[in-house]
Amino acid sequence: MSLEVIILGSAGSIPTKTRSLPAIMVRRKGELILFDCGEGVQRQMMRTAIGFDKRMKVLITHMHGDHVLGLPGILQTMSLLGRKKTLEIYGPEGLGDFVEAIDKTVQFALSFPLEVSEIKNEGVVCEEREYKICCAEASHSTIAFAYSLEEKPRPGKFHPERAKSLGIPKGELWSKLQNGSAITLGDNQLIRPDQVMDHPRAGRKIVYTGDSISSQPLIELARYADLLIHDCTFDDKLTERALEDGHSTPSQAARTAMEAKAKRLILTHISARYKTPSLLLKQATKLFPNTIVAKDLTKINLPLPK
Amino acid sequence: MSLEVIILGSAGSIPTKTRSLPAIMVRRKGELILFDCGEGVQRQMMRTAIGFDKRMKVLITHMHGDHVLGLPGILQTMSLLGRKKTLEIYGPEGLGDFVEAIDKTVQFALSFPLEVSEIKNEGVVCEEREYKICCAEASHSTIAFAYSLEEKPRPGKFHPERAKSLGIPKGELWSKLQNGSAITLGDNQLIRPDQVMDHPRAGRKIVYTGDSISSQPLIELARYADLLIHDCTFDDKLTERALEDGHSTPSQAARTAMEAKAKRLILTHISARYKTPSLLLKQATKLFPNTIVAKDLTKINLPLPK
């Protein structure tokens, strides 16, 4: 079951010729989960042939223009293409006013239901059968959230030979056990799933900080993440500037990854001043070797843990 | 004196991998005049190294999202770059509400004065010493304007040998004559500019229809234009659809160019269904040979008429 992260935009605040404004797409079993929606995201989606008619959620970290101004264009294009599926949008207070203001002043008729949810507290933002999305407060110059996407544990491997040796007939009873329910066989012989299955297998976890100073809540959110996508607007020499503006440096992002025991780190929200990723990469990999600097349209596959 | 038209976006309604949303930039003596401002225009400006700190006017044809959603991003980037110069924005009713709504809901602090003018009537939109911008009502599914940018006639060529033979000393009196004022020499000898200069020379004229059905007011506006940039969303086989949606076809655009006696025609606002320009070009050039189909980042130099 594939879980793919596509960097649609890796710029910080101002786009460049090679970096579009912030947008991180997760593609999971045909569903799209988009974190932030900077200007230009619809063309970036076209460039990766993602499509506009999939099940989709959008999660906005904060209401700065560079993170949200691509939203109206997506809504318009989806409507022009006749989308019918609901689009869920989550973000901080002010998101509802923004969407409403655009809808009033720019004339497009939505062809689909739009569900806007403003997040009031840290914790679970939305929960599906197979995954949940949680948030923690980020430390930025305005209210901002960092998000985690966490798959729930999958049932362990089923062993047909054990089921057969216990005399369980193939069919409905096997399914029940595979779905985690105990069954009763014959005269009150209770059979538990763990008699025919291995332990549950962990799901995958992705964390995206949005714009933020590195902080303890981010470390907690990123705990054991398979992939941490972290603000890295400035290099280490500009640590003071980063702090003032509510951003992070390579060393800070790397330390967060290290302390959270994350497996991989992607640095993003790269200031236009960095023409190549080498300096940022050098500073981060000293502390956390498994780091890359985000590059637009890069796709990262996260394999299922064994 | 250069006058350059740069196609920043030639898509219709929905962008494509190769076409950004509508935006036509005119660069004239270091000033920028941008017609329409679709999403993505700031990156297109970066791609052509236009810069964000020049004297600049923006003219919006109508309030459909694909023509206006690039505006907030430009305002934000200009502010982040510390622009101080006033930005003038013109467009139909609703433009002021849009700008105000964005300013309220997306947090960016403008670093420069923004002058928003809503156009109430056809005629002169703004007038500078060397050119004026006029508008005519377009025929679209909402209030929409087509614009002309027209240079005022320049003074005719000055002939120093004539001035010398009339005994006019070089200096201030030459300048006065060159600027179109008569002077008095010695004992009430009146000298008129036409005694030392040729006839005034015509300026250049560019007309942009925005989204519109071809119409008599467009022909009037485009009269003798050096360059007519015309809506061409659909090909001739979809004439009925074009009429329904308030758009034009190649033959209609070509006829407008022909009847207006325009010199050159650029077809723009191209529907995503046309993967190559060949069909549209074939249909238009039958009536008006001097036609091209707009292509993003194309630059067209308009030489001064002799």
Side-chain angles (χ1 to χ4, degrees), chain B residues 143-204:
Chain B
I143 299 171
F145 294 106
Y147 293 107
S148 70
L149 164 65
E150 201 168 343
E151 290 179 324
K152 295 178 184 176
R154 292 162 300 135
K157 194 184 166 197
F158 177 76
H159 294 276
E161 73 285 359
R162 291 189 204 164
K164 282 176 193 161
S165 74
L166 288 166
I168 311 166
K170 198 172 170 175
E172 199 187 333
L173 292 177
W174 283 29
S175 299
K176 276 195 178 172
L177 287 163
Q178 283 163 346
N179 288 328
S181 304
I183 59 163
T184 310
L185 204 65
D187 290 340
N188 294 327
Q189 188 193 352
L190 186 78
I191 296 175
R192 299 180 318 274
D194 64 5
Q195 292 177 264
V196 294
M197 292 170 76
D198 292 341
H199 286 298
R201 292 168 288 190
R204 291 158 289 192

Side-chain angles (χ1 to χ4, degrees), chain A residues 13-21 38-44 46-49 63-74 76-77 80-81 93-94 97-98 101-102 105-108 141-143 296, chain B residues 13-21 38-44 46-49 63-74 76-77 80-81 93-94 97-98 101-102 105-108 141-143 296:
Chain A
S13 311
I14 298 179
T16 69
K17 284 183 199 176
T18 55
R19 296 189 189 278
S20 193
L21 288 163
E39 182 182 353
V41 70
Q42 62 168 323
R43 280 190 94 194
Q44 295 296 83
M46 287 169 184
R47 290 195 175 103
T48 48
M63 290 305 295
H64 281 167
D66 53 323
H67 291 252
V68 76
L69 285 170
L71 194 52
I74 285 194
Q76 167 150 47
T77 288
L80 287 167
L81 295 172
E93 201 183 328
D97 283 350
F98 170 70
I102 295 288
T105 55
V106 177
Q107 303 164 15
F108 56 83
S141 53
T142 185
I143 299 170
D296 282 20
Chain B
S13 311
I14 298 177
T16 69
K17 284 183 200 177
T18 54
R19 296 188 189 278
S20 193
L21 288 164
E39 183 181 354
V41 70
Q42 61 170 322
R43 278 190 95 193
Q44 296 294 83
M46 286 167 183
R47 291 197 175 101
T48 49
M63 291 304 297
H64 282 166
D66 54 322
H67 291 252
V68 77
L69 285 170
L71 195 52
I74 285 195
Q76 168 151 48
T77 288
L80 288 167
L81 294 173
E93 202 182 329
D97 283 349
F98 171 69
I102 294 287
T105 56
V106 177
Q107 303 163 16
F108 56 83
S141 54
T142 184
I143 299 171
D296 281 21

Side-chain angles (χ1 to χ4, degrees), chain A residues 117-136:
Chain A
S117 306
E118 293 189 350
I119 299 167
K120 308 290 180 209
N121 303 106
E122 292 189 313
V124 177
V125 174
C126 63
E127 185 155 5
E128 299 283 347
R129 204 169 60 89
E130 296 187 352
Y131 68 86
K132 62 180 178 179
I133 296 173
C134 298
C135 71

Side-chain angles (χ1 to χ4, degrees), chain B residues 228 230 252-262 264-265 288:
Chain B
L228 171 61
H230 202 295
Q252 290 167 346
R255 199 166 297 117
T256 299
M258 202 172 59
E259 292 186 15
K261 298 192 194 305
R264 296 170 75 177
L265 173 63
F288 193 85

Side-chain angles (χ1 to χ4, degrees), chain A residues 51 54 103 226 297 305:
Chain A
K54 299 223 169 44
D103 192 35
D226 295 278
L297 307 183

Side-chain angles (χ1 to χ4, degrees), chain A residues 74-241:
Chain A
I74 285 194
L75 302 184
Q76 167 150 47
T77 288
M78 285 178 168
S79 295
L80 287 167
L81 295 172
R83 180 186 173 99
K84 296 290 171 223
K85 293 186 187 77
T86 298
L87 183 74
E88 297 167 40
I89 309 183
Y90 302 85
E93 201 183 328
L95 178 61
D97 283 350
F98 170 70
V99 172
E100 201 179 311
I102 295 288
D103 192 35
K104 264 188 196 159
T105 55
V106 177
Q107 303 164 15
F108 56 83
L110 285 181
S111 69
F112 55 90
L114 185 66
E115 285 177 9
V116 180
S117 306
E118 293 189 350
I119 299 167
K120 308 290 180 209
N121 303 106
E122 292 189 313
V124 177
V125 174
C126 63
E127 185 155 5
E128 299 283 347
R129 204 169 60 89
E130 296 187 352
Y131 68 86
K132 62 180 178 179
I133 296 173
C134 298
C135 71
E137 267 191 45
S139 300
H140 193 47
S141 53
T142 185
I143 299 170
F145 294 106
Y147 293 106
S148 71
L149 165 65
E150 201 167 344
E151 290 179 325
K152 296 178 184 175
R154 293 162 301 135
K157 196 184 165 196
F158 178 76
H159 294 276
E161 72 286 0
R162 292 190 203 162
K164 281 176 192 160
S165 73
L166 288 167
I168 310 166
K170 196 171 171 177
E172 200 186 333
L173 292 177
W174 283 28
S175 300
K176 276 195 178 171
L177 287 163
Q178 286 163 342
N179 289 328
S181 305
I183 61 163
T184 311
L185 206 63
D187 290 340
N188 295 329
Q189 188 192 353
L190 186 76
I191 297 175
R192 298 182 317 274
D194 63 6
Q195 293 178 262
V196 293
M197 291 170 76
D198 292 341
H199 286 298
R201 292 168 285 189
R204 293 158 287 191
K205 182 176 177 178
I206 298 165
V207 171
Y208 170 57
T209 63
D211 291 5
S212 188
I213 295 166
S214 58
S215 69
Q216 197 56 36
L218 291 194
I219 294 170
E220 300 306 334
L221 189 74
R223 188 74 71 202
Y224 306 125
D226 295 278
L227 183 62
L228 170 60
I229 306 164
H230 202 295
D231 177 336
C232 182
T233 309
F234 299 111
D235 74 275
D236 287 350
K237 284 180 216 127
L238 298 174
T239 299
E240 205 168 321
R241 168 80 189 277

